[in-house]
Amino acid sequence: MNFAFFDQSAAYFPDICFSRPPDLGILLGSGWGEALEMDEVVFRASYADIPGLGASTVKGHAGEFVLYTRKGKLVAAWCGRRHFYEGVGWEPVVLPIEMLRRMGCGTILLTNASGGINPALRPGDFVIIRDHINLINANPLVGAHVPVWGERFPDMSEVYNKRLAELLHAGANRLSLRVMDGTYAFNVGPAYETPAEIRAYKAQGADVVGMSTVPEAVFAKACGMKLAGLSLVSNLAAGIALRPLEHTEVIAAGEAAKPKMRALIEDFIDRL
């Protein structure tokens, strides 16, 4: 990746974004865009105005960065993400993580909407990501080694922090939400998977499948950040669902689960 690309992006943000490390960085996936409660907005920017990022092209992604306070904590939230399937390269995909690194943020919550593979799951359930499977055999660390992004061969034995996962569990239990631990499979998209592919992913141990999160997780882990991953099951995967898959189903699931999303994120912030 082009390191100068991120320098240009960072120059857009005012000094106040770098004056105090955020207690938490959040990257919100499809349907999660309105799951935040804010006390005071410190800085807000549209993705379209951030050099190198550009407006979100996917429905259900608000496309806005917000630095805000909540109950005494400073939170840096990216409301929406860019995806590798958009054809923009790796830089815009991991730009939110790189900006969080430069702001001094050490703890990140990644969220997404996913298709359920595990037969115990149903739409509206939450999955706390404990591990992932990169199905595309490519990641944003390919290329010249940049020492500030960690070692040349970063360890991925525990990408998702156990303590942070337990905080999510505690919140879900308090709120009486349906939640389970699971493995997230990353498919580049934008086409949904075939039934045969879903059977193969299930045999590999995947519980849910989606088109995001893993590139950001790999990059953040390499940079030494602590990660939590949280997925909303928006639909059943191909061959499990009894009807064709549509993105409108993802949006609808996010709308229906919005109060639960907001409550779970609020609880997580409280417990940090």
Side-chain angles (χ1 to χ4, degrees):
M1 289 189 295
N2 181 1
F3 194 79
F5 174 98
F6 301 108
D7 289 337
Q8 295 172 1
S9 303
Y12 168 82
F13 291 88
D15 291 344
I16 195 170
C17 292
F18 303 93
S19 62
R20 171 188 164 189
D23 297 290
L24 176 66
I26 305 177
L27 185 51
L28 299 172
S30 293
W32 288 82
E34 298 178 20
L36 302 177
E37 296 283 353
M38 307 178 192
D39 290 335
E40 179 186 358
V41 174
V42 178
F43 177 73
R44 170 178 257 137
S46 168
Y47 283 9
D49 295 331
I50 301 174
L53 188 57
S56 177
T57 66
V58 182
K59 188 176 181 180
H61 289 252
E64 183 180 54
F65 170 80
V66 186
L67 183 67
Y68 69 96
T69 59
R70 182 61 176 167
K71 297 180 180 179
K73 295 186 175 71
L74 184 64
V75 181
W78 298 86
C79 305
R81 55 161 49 94
R82 301 304 301 273
H83 301 78
F84 193 57
Y85 64 69
E86 295 175 72
V88 294
W90 285 122
E91 285 89 351
V93 175
V94 302
L95 186 148
I97 306 300
E98 172 62 4
M99 292 305 104
L100 290 174
R101 184 190 70 81
R102 294 186 182 209
M103 292 175 187
C105 183
T107 302
I108 297 178
L109 173 63
L110 302 174
T111 72
N112 62 51
S114 63
I117 297 176
N118 189 311
L121 292 169
R122 64 192 189 197
D125 288 351
F126 291 95
V127 172
I128 296 170
I129 302 173
R130 292 287 191 164
D131 206 347
H132 69 237
I133 302 171
N134 184 350
L135 297 166
I136 74 168
N137 292 318
N139 73 65
L141 297 176
V142 171
H145 178 224
V146 179
V148 295
W149 292 342
E151 300 177 3
R152 170 78 277 192
F153 304 104
D155 175 59
M156 293 287 150
S157 299
E158 186 184 305
V159 177
Y160 304 93
N161 183 269
K162 291 179 180 178
R163 174 183 171 273
L164 296 180
E166 292 308 316
L167 296 184
L168 287 172
H169 259 298
N173 290 338
R174 184 183 72 82
L175 297 166
S176 299
L177 302 179
R178 281 179 53 90
V179 64
M180 66 173 283
D181 290 333
T183 297
Y184 178 92
F186 167 55
N187 174 35
V188 71
Y192 286 111
E193 303 76 23
T194 68
E197 288 170 335
I198 292 300
R199 291 194 297 271
Y201 303 163
K202 182 179 180 181
Q204 293 180 59
D207 296 290
V208 289
V209 62
M211 304 173 190
S212 68
T213 303
V214 169
E216 300 102 306
V218 168
F219 185 79
K221 175 62 176 176
C223 292
M225 298 172 169
K226 294 180 181 179
L227 300 173
L230 184 60
S231 184
L232 171 70
V233 179
S234 59
N235 57 273
L236 300 180
I240 301 173
L242 300 179
R243 58 182 181 275
L245 303 182
E246 297 180 358
H247 190 62
T248 54
E249 190 174 7
V250 176
I251 303 302
E255 283 294 318
K258 194 176 298 181
K260 297 176 181 178
M261 293 170 166
R262 186 179 294 116
L264 191 50
I265 289 180
E266 277 287 286
D267 186 280
F268 184 71
I269 292 174
D270 284 344
R271 293 175 188 273
L272 284 178

